[in-house]
Amino acid sequence: MITIIMAEDHQMLIDGVKSFFEYDEDINIIGTVNNGEDLVKLVSLKQPKLVLTDIRMPRMDGIEATKIIKKQFPHIQVLAMTMFDQPDAIKQMLDAGATGYLLKNSGIKMLSKAIVTVANGETFFDPNVAFNFMNNYIDENVVIGKTNKIVLSNREKEILNLIANGKTSKEISENLFIAKTTVDTHRKNMIRKLNLSSGSELIKYAIDKKYQF
């Protein structure tokens, strides 16, 4: 049985997750809280197998709470569930001791997969953050969730739209006020996400699909 304490400041989300796992024989949510301070207290009291936590919460954020929990109870696994897909946020959670990172829009089935994976001592990444983080932090032993839907970030959509309009990486960087190397990284990530083989295929894809965002 995987016992879980969930920390989330939106009660509606807590209620939805609890409802889904209510009759699950393998996953049991034994407590919920709405802030980081209460999370640390409840984990100390009940010592679950896994903590499911948001990052941004009142009184103490999920990063700081994770640091405290992992220091006191290193055997307890931590899975982050958040809206933040920025590499800095992911790195901070990993450095704090989390071994799973999931976006809130990923769906309940992927959440179930992430819980089981992390509870078993493996690392799980949402596919929509793994692509942007893979080169530096994800190795072959990490489980990456699978999705049939190709999801590009808002920045990638902006860049793809500019590519379709014939802009070079330098022109895109000037247009969006970002570094050219950042544009190049987004290009590589989109090629990987879209299962393309080259930059020229990305250009053809952008034009053929006529992305308008």
Side-chain angles (χ1 to χ4, degrees), residues 6-26:
M6 180 177 178
E8 165 62 50
D9 60 342
H10 290 89
Q11 189 61 43
M12 185 179 295
L13 181 57
I14 288 179
D15 293 343
V17 172
K18 285 180 64 178
S19 177
F20 181 82
F21 292 115
E22 185 175 1
Y23 301 107
D24 194 298
E25 296 181 354
D26 300 316

Side-chain angles (χ1 to χ4, degrees), residues 134-200:
M134 188 176 296
N135 292 337
N136 294 326
Y137 295 97
I138 298 180
D139 59 35
E140 65 275 10
N141 297 317
V142 174
V143 176
I144 299 175
K146 295 180 180 179
T147 177
N148 293 323
K149 181 181 179 182
I150 298 172
V151 181
L152 300 181
S153 68
N154 289 334
R155 178 63 83 187
E156 287 169 342
K157 292 174 183 177
E158 286 182 300
I159 292 173
L160 195 61
N161 187 42
L162 291 170
I163 290 172
N165 290 325
K167 300 294 184 183
T168 64
S169 289
K170 185 176 185 298
E171 290 171 331
I172 293 171
S173 70
E174 293 171 350
N175 187 289
L176 298 179
F177 303 102
I178 58 177
K180 178 181 176 296
T181 54
T182 301
V183 177
D184 290 337
T185 297
H186 282 302
R187 282 179 178 267
K188 291 177 182 178
N189 288 335
M190 285 190 286
I191 288 170
R192 187 185 300 114
K193 284 185 179 183
L194 297 168
N195 197 28
L196 303 175
S197 60
S198 65
S200 59

Side-chain angles (χ1 to χ4, degrees), residues 5 10 12 70 84 86 99 108 114 128 140 158 171-172 174 194 208 210:
I5 289 177
H10 290 89
M12 185 179 295
K70 292 300 291 185
F84 295 107
Q86 298 90 339
T99 51
I108 199 72
N128 297 316
E140 65 275 10
E158 286 182 300
E171 290 171 331
I172 293 171
E174 293 171 350
L194 297 168
D208 291 344
K210 292 182 171 56

